[in-house]
Amino acid sequence: MARRHADNRRTAPSDPDMAAALRILRPHLGPALGPLTFSIVAAVAYTLLELAPIWVTLWLVTLTVRAEAAPGDFVAGAVLLAVTIPLCYTLYGLSTEKSHVAAFRMIRSLRLRIAEHLTHLPLGQVTDLSSGASRKLMIDEPEKLELVVAHALPEGVGAVLMWMVVTVWLFATDWLMALATVLLVPVALLAMGLAIRRSVPNMAAFQDANLHMNGVLAEFLRGITAIKVYHRAGPAIARTATAIRDFAQLQSDWGRQFVPLGGTFYALILANITVILPVGLWSLHAGWIDLTEFLLFVILGGNYGAPLMRLFNLFGQMAHISVAVTNIDHVLSSQRQPDTGADLPLRGHEVRFDAVSFGYGEDGDTAALRDVSFTAPGAGMTALIGPSGAGKSTVAALLARFYDPWSGRITIGGQDIAAMGQTQLMETVSFVFQDTFLFRGTIAEALRFARQDASHADLEAAARAARAYDFITALPDGFDTMIGDGSGILSGGERQRLAIARAILKDAPVLVLDEATAFADPDNEAEIQKAISALARGKTVVVVAHRLHTITRADRIIVLDGGRCVAQGRHEELIAQDGLYARMWRDYSATRSARLQTTAPAQEAV
Amino acid sequence: MVAVTASGRPVQWRRIWLLAGPEQTRMLRAMLFRLMQSFALGLGFAATLWAIRDLADGREITQIWLWQITGLAALSLAGQLGFSFLAVSDAWQASFRVCGTVRLALLDRLLALPLGYHLGRERGDLVNLMSTDVDALGTFLSDGLGRVVQAFGLPLAILVFMAAIDVRLALAMALTIAIGVPVLAQTSHKLSGLGLRRQSQQAETSARVVEFVVGQPVLRAFGRQAEGTARFQGAVDGLYAISVRLVRALVAPVMVFVAILMLGIPVTMLAIAWTLGGLEAGTVLTALILAYAIYAPIINLVSAMEMMRIAEASLLRMDAVFDQPVPAPASPTRSPEGFALSVDDVSFAYDGKTAVLRDLSFEVPERSMVAIVGPSGSGKSTLLNLIAHFWDPDTGTISIGGVPLPELPPGVPMDQISMVSQDVALFSGSVFDNIAIGRHGATRQEVAAAARAAQADGFITALPRGYDTELGESGARLSGGERQRIAIARAILKDAPIVLLDEATAAIDPINERALQEALIALVLDRTLIVVAHKLNTIAAADRIFVLDRGTIVEQGSHTELVAQQGLYARLHARKVEAEGWTLSS
């Protein structure tokens, strides 16, 4: 019943927050501390063990150069490594596993936090999330955050530690040779930096083209039925194909600018043997180092760039993830709806709107309701009428506190609904929803959702009143039939009647319904009408109505137009006023008698 | 390092290779350049080892030798930079172009698929397929392939170099590669299977997590937040358990692979110990250094394999589109005579098993009106979709002017039929564009005239920019009734002789509804009309009414005849009359 207006409040973040991933995860560190510590300790241990092959190799190399090596030394080295290598990768494995466990715990905690936050957001904001957006919010985005913790830790810690140990070792051995070993790293970083700088102007154009292409693709796919029906494939496909080709072209241009220097980064960072070798030989020649030391640089320095490359890739990933978790960020930063938790004494169940204004946008100028005031008498029926966009559904949504009004007051039985606790409000008001969501379970469980202690006789009585009894008992397992979202056992009309049976069990004194959605299944209209009649008996009813004959007996009809209340009264009074309502009634009557015909002039003007 | 995607069945790499067409050479060249880059790095190692061997033999360092080695090192560096530049340029350019080609091919295929394929499909999936999935393929082509070549390039050079010096030591080094790589290949295969299992487990649990959001109104309405949260927690715990189990299953084999490879170092040491008596110091040093250098590149295979698994998962989704059968146009084609419509012995099932329509036959003469009524699920809308050629019937034929739909010249069925359905497809573009799509080259006057006939002119001119107002996601929002009047204007402009009308079920306000009704009356005049009716009063003037129940015609006749028959139609009608007399009260 909440109006759909999904994507209007999402303001694009002006500056991508590269550390957003860390900011979102930080509060959830607690439950992950154990495995996290283990992972880091294991990462340190495996990194040290990774040095064993280097150390053993160097030791044997030294012995060989001194011509002191015996077969026993090689066997000893091999045995040592045969122990350390499996141990090293076992620890690596454990570190990875624990870091993943830590990541999953943080994500679990984050998901629970999002869920907890959602239950305190205005309901309208929650129903605005499409199932796609819900999926992104609850599944995809948290999953992406996994990488940050699960990979950054064992790999990042290992890479940093390895880089530090090797650097210290190199410089402790010979500073000139050490400089020769690391020389290419700043050069490589410089190349990458320049490459990024050079391609930045194009990067923006590139991202625009990417967005443009995805937009055109989405548009093409959205219109594909129309395109096919009107076989306008030519122009539509030409536009889409152009977007695809343009994007490929821009990618190429961007690539051409980036590759000469950016591609160099990856080659340079692995190429330091080509510097170590000549500098080493010249140093040997000058007598600054001996052969053993030279060999140390060859072995140790040859792989110097590898941990740095790993770190570079990790940083890239993290920035990438940070800009991709916008849904979580958006939801977690949304204002909660205050809940007093109070249970206030009500004087009857009269509903009053007192100068209520409200709009869906955050800016003050797009009001959906302006200064709407009316009273819906207790235990009476009030109908909301008006052209589309008049604000009828908004009134219903506000009454259920899907949103809170910008200004004005809504009261039930004299109490402001914002001062009532959510629980009390929900016990007081029933709605017949747009889309009847049924959790998986049996029909009896679905009905008991409304009243846990309901006896089987209560269920049967409610089902009978809601005209649901016959189809339920016709099912193989009757009230014990398993139903659930997407099970396809129940038709739309049947689900609707189940929802009504549930509302009957709940027996709240105020009932809000939207005719457009309550009667979404025209083939079962009569059945649903009977169910609604049973539900409405003795209640304060507020109904959004389109089929005017259904509300001719309403105690009060509120006529809305452009967000304002333009008239109110009983059917006969409003007809007599000859305003908007009278015009709608004439249109309605004309429509009811209209006939489609292919042969004769259809009908005379009314 | 560990991420899984599923590939349960063989993936069509061949199709991508064929689509690559002229880029094939470039891709091969890129791999060759990568290999050359590895060999250039190998040259640096070779020069180093040459120097070490000679030094171990006690060679004096002379100026000329120094310059020789320095020259070799410079050559190696230049070679690495040059070949890397060439390799990356080629790989990227080829990958960008192949992605473009694949996107265009997907586009062609989507357009060729029957309309039915596009009905009720999640558009987001297809958009993702064409953007994200193609990108994943591109990443593998631009990055992954090169990594695979690099993983084997340097080790290959090292093994050849080592074998030239001492075959036994080369064999020792190769031993763990020969064991490890098949283990990784096998593992990769198993991981794919595991990924598939996880996907289905995860899909199930994810559905329950999403349920929490979608079910919020119900949870709150009945004060069951606690229960909802408990269910949610259960689902989230389930996801956690699956993920942890999966990581355990994934990490172990990868680590086994790396450990096996690295054990090559002690194996080589043992081989040296075994043969030590006959080896020169230079050979021993060479073997030790190379044993340390050979395995690191191969370990990178793990990440290349991961890219490949991700690309394969994407390819699999592309295959699902490419493998959809495209209806073949019949040849020769015939032109229809007139536009009477006949449905002859038609049966249809969406899934090939559960028949939605059974042996349906009827005729619709030119300019007559036929209405189809029946309870929900009786197959009414499906029948309209078949007539509009969204699908081909499983058996039987549907003909226009005596010619079966598949034998009509391409485009003719669509030219002859206007369809106005409940679900109006507007696309991004102006209001003018959305109406003008009905007739090629329509002028502003023609569009405005159609809009007037469709009772749409009034609300269109009231829009901020009139006919130039942008519609669609970011554009103006129209109400359901307004959208339908745009669709009717489109159909009026198109002026097709046959109109298929699926009457709207959703209630709209009386002013809109009346305008809509009048628009429809203008549209159907003088045409062949087939209408799926929910409000029986609109079809009282139909020449013939077919009553559909569970996919077959159970009654037919005019309104008066059917009411007199006291059958299903009479019952439906009675209930409608009852419903229309109902008033709500508290």
Side-chain angles (χ1 to χ4, degrees):
Chain A
M1 115 177 4
R3 250 186 39 175
R4 292 234 154 246
H5 60 104
D7 34 31
N8 55 358
R9 262 166 308 147
R10 193 143 308 156
T11 45
S14 50
D15 228 354
D17 180 359
M18 291 301 176
L22 293 178
R23 184 163 42 77
I24 289 172
L25 282 173
R26 198 173 45 215
H28 305 281
L29 208 58
L33 271 180
L36 218 52
T37 316
F38 183 99
S39 172
I40 291 171
V41 170
V44 170
Y46 91 70
T47 308
L48 295 177
L49 282 171
E50 253 189 327
L51 291 166
I54 304 181
W55 186 80
V56 170
T57 303
L58 275 172
W59 173 61
L60 291 173
V61 161
T62 314
L63 287 181
T64 308
V65 169
R66 293 188 195 145
E68 292 169 3
D73 296 326
F74 286 91
V75 174
V79 170
L80 179 66
L81 290 187
V83 175
T84 61
I85 288 173
L87 189 62
C88 170
Y89 293 103
T90 306
L91 283 171
Y92 194 160
L94 284 176
S95 173
T96 306
E97 185 199 313
K98 288 300 174 197
S99 73
H100 276 83
V101 169
F104 295 141
R105 285 196 187 170
M106 289 172 85
I107 289 167
R108 176 169 61 175
S109 159
L110 174 66
R111 282 187 173 130
L112 293 174
R113 160 96 178 98
I114 299 172
E116 191 266 345
H117 194 69
L118 273 180
T119 55
H120 290 99
L121 289 182
L123 197 48
Q125 214 168 321
V126 180
T127 54
D128 272 353
L129 292 168
S130 65
S131 64
S134 312
R135 230 199 110 76
K136 263 207 168 121
L137 174 72
M138 286 296 185
I139 306 294
D140 301 344
E141 290 190 0
E143 212 92 315
K144 274 191 195 134
L145 289 170
E146 169 206 321
L147 284 172
V148 175
V149 181
H151 291 210
L153 264 183
E155 289 173 39
V157 168
V160 169
L161 188 67
M162 180 61 110
W163 172 73
M164 286 189 333
V165 169
V166 170
T167 308
V168 169
W169 195 344
L170 290 177
F171 276 90
T173 308
D174 183 88
W175 67 269
L176 180 67
M177 281 301 292
L179 279 184
T181 309
V182 304
L183 175 72
L184 287 182
V185 171
V187 178
L189 289 175
L190 191 72
M192 180 53 97
L194 284 177
I196 291 174
R197 279 248 322 245
R198 252 186 75 175
S199 55
V200 154
N202 255 341
M203 191 68 195
F206 169 76
Q207 271 166 352
D208 282 350
N210 194 0
L211 279 178
H212 174 69
M213 180 184 75
N214 289 347
V216 172
L217 279 174
E219 180 187 310
F220 174 81
L221 292 169
R222 190 163 47 238
I224 198 163
T225 42
I227 289 164
K228 280 186 75 93
V229 167
Y230 293 97
H231 61 100
R232 287 288 167 270
I237 211 166
R239 194 159 125 76
T240 318
T242 308
I244 291 175
R245 288 206 190 89
D246 284 353
F247 178 63
Q249 187 56 46
L250 258 163
Q251 260 186 325
S252 291
D253 294 347
W254 174 78
R256 264 192 212 101
Q257 282 193 313
F258 182 80
V259 163
L261 287 168
T264 308
F265 170 84
Y266 292 97
L268 275 180
I269 207 146
L270 295 175
N272 44 9
I273 188 78
T274 58
V275 186
I276 295 171
L277 172 60
V279 176
L281 280 184
W282 287 95
S283 298
L284 267 175
H285 180 59
W288 295 332
I289 56 169
D290 62 19
L291 182 57
T292 330
E293 283 168 336
F294 174 59
L295 289 170
L296 178 138
F297 280 99
V298 168
I299 293 170
L300 211 50
N303 256 332
Y304 184 78
L308 290 175
M309 205 153 99
R310 255 188 278 171
L311 278 181
F312 182 81
N313 288 338
L314 280 176
F315 275 120
Q317 250 179 6
M318 200 133 92
H320 193 73
I321 290 166
S322 281
V323 289
V325 289
T326 50
N327 275 304
I328 295 182
D329 223 17
H330 177 74
V331 165
L332 286 183
S333 58
S334 299
Q335 279 288 322
R336 290 172 173 231
Q337 190 174 40
D339 179 6
T340 62
D343 192 0
L344 306 171
L346 304 183
R347 293 184 303 277
H349 295 103
E350 180 187 84
V351 172
R352 280 179 68 100
F353 270 58
D354 193 5
V356 170
S357 294
F358 172 72
Y360 291 98
E362 269 154 13
D363 46 340
D365 43 64
T366 48
L369 292 183
R370 290 166 217 265
D371 271 335
V372 170
S373 298
F374 67 86
T375 304
M381 205 243 315
T382 302
L384 302 166
I385 296 292
S388 54
K392 310 177 292 277
S393 300
T394 306
V395 168
L398 288 182
L399 180 51
R401 247 194 127 194
F402 272 52
Y403 304 93
D404 285 327
W406 284 349
S407 62
R409 249 162 50 105
I410 303 168
T411 59
I412 296 177
Q415 298 286 5
D416 192 331
I417 58 169
M420 280 182 212
Q422 280 286 345
T423 315
Q424 186 184 14
L425 180 65
M426 291 300 159
E427 277 167 7
T428 312
V429 183
S430 269
F431 335 96
V432 177
F433 288 112
Q434 175 154 11
D435 196 7
T436 313
F437 187 83
L438 297 170
F439 284 97
R440 203 163 10 169
T442 66
I443 288 181
E445 282 166 357
L447 291 175
R448 284 213 174 88
F449 217 73
R451 219 173 72 213
Q452 237 155 343
D453 58 355
S455 68
H456 198 76
D458 293 337
L459 301 188
E460 286 190 9
R464 278 214 175 83
R467 294 298 190 275
Y469 186 78
D470 290 347
F471 78 78
I472 293 173
T473 47
L475 289 170
D477 297 323
F479 280 84
D480 295 325
T481 307
M482 285 295 288
I483 50 170
D485 220 33
S487 67
I489 292 174
L490 302 180
S491 75
E494 288 167 345
R495 290 157 61 96
Q496 188 71 284
R497 278 176 274 165
L498 216 52
I500 294 169
R502 197 149 71 171
I504 288 174
L505 274 174
K506 177 174 152 177
D507 200 28
V510 178
L511 171 67
V512 181
L513 52 99
D514 189 334
E515 193 192 39
T517 52
F519 300 104
D521 181 359
D523 301 318
N524 290 304
E525 195 174 350
E527 294 297 300
I528 294 172
Q529 285 172 344
K530 285 176 192 145
I532 296 261
S533 292
L535 174 61
R537 204 161 297 137
K539 309 255 159 62
T540 303
V541 180
V542 176
V543 58
V544 174
H546 301 290
R547 282 169 242 204
L548 301 187
H549 68 263
T550 59
I551 50 123
T552 48
R553 291 198 292 147
D555 299 297
R556 189 156 301 170
I557 297 170
I558 313 292
V559 186
L560 293 164
D561 192 18
R564 289 179 197 282
C565 178
V566 293
Q568 45 182 305
R570 296 185 58 91
H571 174 74
E572 297 76 16
E573 295 164 12
L574 290 170
I575 291 286
Q577 279 177 20
D578 200 25
L580 179 60
Y581 183 82
R583 184 184 153 206
M584 290 177 79
W585 178 255
R586 279 197 300 274
D587 280 339
Y588 180 73
S589 310
T591 312
R592 282 183 101 186
S593 56
R595 304 274 180 275
L596 285 178
Q597 268 174 296
T598 54
T599 45
Q603 74 176 129
E604 62 288 0
V606 180
Chain B
M1 179 182 283
V2 242
V4 222
T5 39
S7 61
R9 60 198 184 99
V11 167
Q12 302 270 351
W13 282 105
R14 215 177 97 81
R15 171 149 46 214
I16 300 302
W17 178 244
L18 292 179
L19 278 175
E23 300 302 316
Q24 289 170 356
T25 337
R26 206 190 290 263
M27 278 161 63
L28 288 176
R29 209 166 57 196
M31 289 199 271
L32 186 70
F33 286 143
R34 272 284 181 223
L35 199 62
M36 300 304 290
Q37 184 196 344
S38 289
F39 288 165
L41 178 59
L43 177 68
F45 273 100
T48 311
L49 292 167
W50 175 36
I52 291 170
R53 283 172 64 87
D54 284 7
L55 288 169
D57 284 350
R59 174 170 176 175
E60 278 299 313
I61 301 177
T62 61
Q63 283 285 338
I64 218 159
W65 190 47
L66 272 176
W67 284 114
Q68 277 173 347
I69 295 285
T70 309
L72 277 179
L75 195 67
S76 161
L77 180 61
Q80 286 181 66
L81 292 180
F83 285 123
S84 130
F85 168 70
L86 292 171
V88 178
S89 299
D90 268 346
W92 283 29
Q93 296 301 329
S95 144
F96 296 152
R97 283 175 209 199
V98 170
C99 284
T101 314
V102 170
R103 286 195 173 105
L104 291 174
L106 280 170
L107 202 65
D108 268 347
R109 171 58 62 141
L110 286 174
L111 204 61
L113 288 176
L115 257 174
Y117 176 84
H118 296 285
L119 291 178
R121 181 161 296 275
E122 278 278 340
R123 271 189 306 270
D125 289 353
L126 287 179
V127 176
N128 268 340
L129 178 78
M130 295 199 63
S131 56
T132 321
D133 280 336
V134 175
D135 282 342
L137 174 68
T139 307
F140 177 72
L141 293 182
S142 64
D143 255 35
L145 269 184
R147 284 193 203 200
V148 173
V149 174
Q150 270 179 315
F152 290 109
L154 184 64
L156 192 69
I158 289 177
L159 282 180
V160 170
F161 186 85
M162 196 66 234
I165 300 170
D166 191 308
V167 176
R168 294 166 301 178
L169 294 182
L171 284 176
M173 271 182 208
L175 179 69
T176 59
I177 302 177
I179 299 173
V181 171
V183 165
L184 180 66
Q186 189 62 33
T187 304
S188 211
H189 187 72
K190 253 181 38 200
L191 292 190
S192 296
L194 203 63
L196 201 67
R197 273 222 319 273
R198 171 172 107 145
Q199 265 195 346
S200 64
Q201 281 180 326
Q202 210 179 21
E204 153 85 21
T205 324
S206 304
R208 284 201 284 138
V209 171
V210 172
E211 189 177 273
F212 174 78
V213 183
V214 183
Q216 271 300 303
V218 180
L219 290 171
R220 291 202 203 177
F222 297 105
R224 293 306 190 82
Q225 286 97 325
E227 185 175 327
T229 308
R231 271 172 184 266
F232 178 78
Q233 174 129 26
V236 166
D237 286 348
L239 263 181
Y240 172 79
I242 294 169
S243 310
V244 169
R245 222 178 321 136
L246 189 83
V247 160
R248 297 217 165 108
L250 278 179
V251 170
V254 171
M255 290 306 146
V256 167
F257 163 71
V258 179
I260 289 177
L261 273 187
M262 295 302 284
L263 281 172
I265 297 175
V267 167
T268 309
M269 287 173 180
L270 284 179
I272 294 172
W274 190 262
T275 55
L276 191 63
L279 293 180
E280 293 169 17
T283 308
V284 173
L285 291 179
T286 305
L288 283 174
I289 291 171
L290 288 182
Y292 179 68
I294 193 172
Y295 302 111
I298 304 180
I299 292 175
N300 283 333
L301 265 184
V302 174
S303 68
M305 287 297 200
E306 188 188 320
M307 274 188 202
M308 182 149 127
R309 277 204 304 274
I310 293 173
E312 283 191 338
S314 297
L315 270 186
L316 210 61
R317 287 187 283 269
M318 288 178 218
D319 286 350
V321 171
F322 281 124
D323 291 342
Q324 282 289 325
V326 171
S331 54
T333 57
R334 290 190 285 147
S335 292
E337 284 166 33
F339 40 88
L341 198 125
S342 91
V343 171
D344 190 19
D345 216 11
V346 161
S347 296
F348 180 73
Y350 284 102
D351 56 1
K353 291 192 289 278
T354 346
V356 182
L357 298 175
R358 274 177 262 248
D359 306 324
L360 229 52
S361 296
F362 60 87
E363 305 280 329
V364 186
E366 273 184 38
R367 291 193 176 77
S368 70
M369 171 181 171
V370 157
I372 299 161
V373 299
S376 26
S378 57
K380 296 169 297 204
S381 299
T382 304
L383 178 58
L384 274 201
N385 287 347
L386 287 182
I387 296 173
H389 208 197
F390 285 12
W391 304 99
D392 277 317
D394 295 336
T395 59
T397 46
I398 296 173
S399 322
I400 293 177
V403 183
L405 292 181
E407 291 173 32
L408 288 166
V412 166
M414 296 302 177
D415 277 343
Q416 303 283 320
I417 295 173
S418 281
M419 180 143 177
V420 178
S421 57
Q422 303 198 35
D423 186 16
V424 179
L426 297 183
F427 50 90
S428 321
S430 65
V431 174
F432 175 84
D433 295 339
N434 266 284
I435 298 176
I437 195 176
R439 185 194 300 164
H440 197 58
T443 65
R444 289 194 85 88
Q445 284 77 13
E446 288 168 330
V447 166
R452 268 195 298 279
Q455 307 286 320
D457 188 58
F459 77 81
I460 293 171
T461 45
L463 289 171
R465 303 190 50 222
Y467 282 87
D468 296 322
T469 308
E470 289 289 314
L471 298 179
E473 216 96 309
S474 52
R477 287 162 186 283
L478 300 179
S479 73
E482 289 166 345
R483 295 166 66 87
Q484 275 180 333
R485 278 182 274 161
I486 297 244
I488 293 169
R490 203 188 255 176
I492 288 176
L493 191 63
K494 181 175 175 180
D495 199 23
I498 300 171
V499 171
L500 305 183
L501 172 64
D502 196 350
E503 206 179 41
T505 56
I508 51 179
D509 69 85
I511 299 173
N512 256 311
E513 178 144 30
R514 180 166 184 201
L516 187 63
Q517 197 63 250
E518 283 169 9
L520 284 175
I521 287 166
L523 169 67
V524 303
L525 195 63
D526 248 355
R527 297 176 211 273
T528 306
L529 170 66
I530 301 173
V531 53
V532 166
H534 303 289
K535 303 179 216 127
L536 301 187
N537 54 0
T538 52
I539 55 157
D543 297 301
R544 202 152 199 80
I545 297 169
F546 295 103
V547 184
L548 222 56
D549 192 18
R550 286 186 219 113
T552 52
I553 294 173
V554 291
E555 289 169 30
Q556 52 178 297
S558 70
H559 173 74
T560 339
E561 288 164 14
L562 287 173
V563 170
Q565 270 184 29
Q566 292 295 314
L568 179 58
Y569 183 85
R571 274 206 307 285
L572 289 171
H573 186 252
R575 276 168 63 186
K576 284 286 169 193
V577 171
E578 182 190 358
E580 288 190 358
W582 180 74
T583 59
L584 179 59
S585 60
S586 63

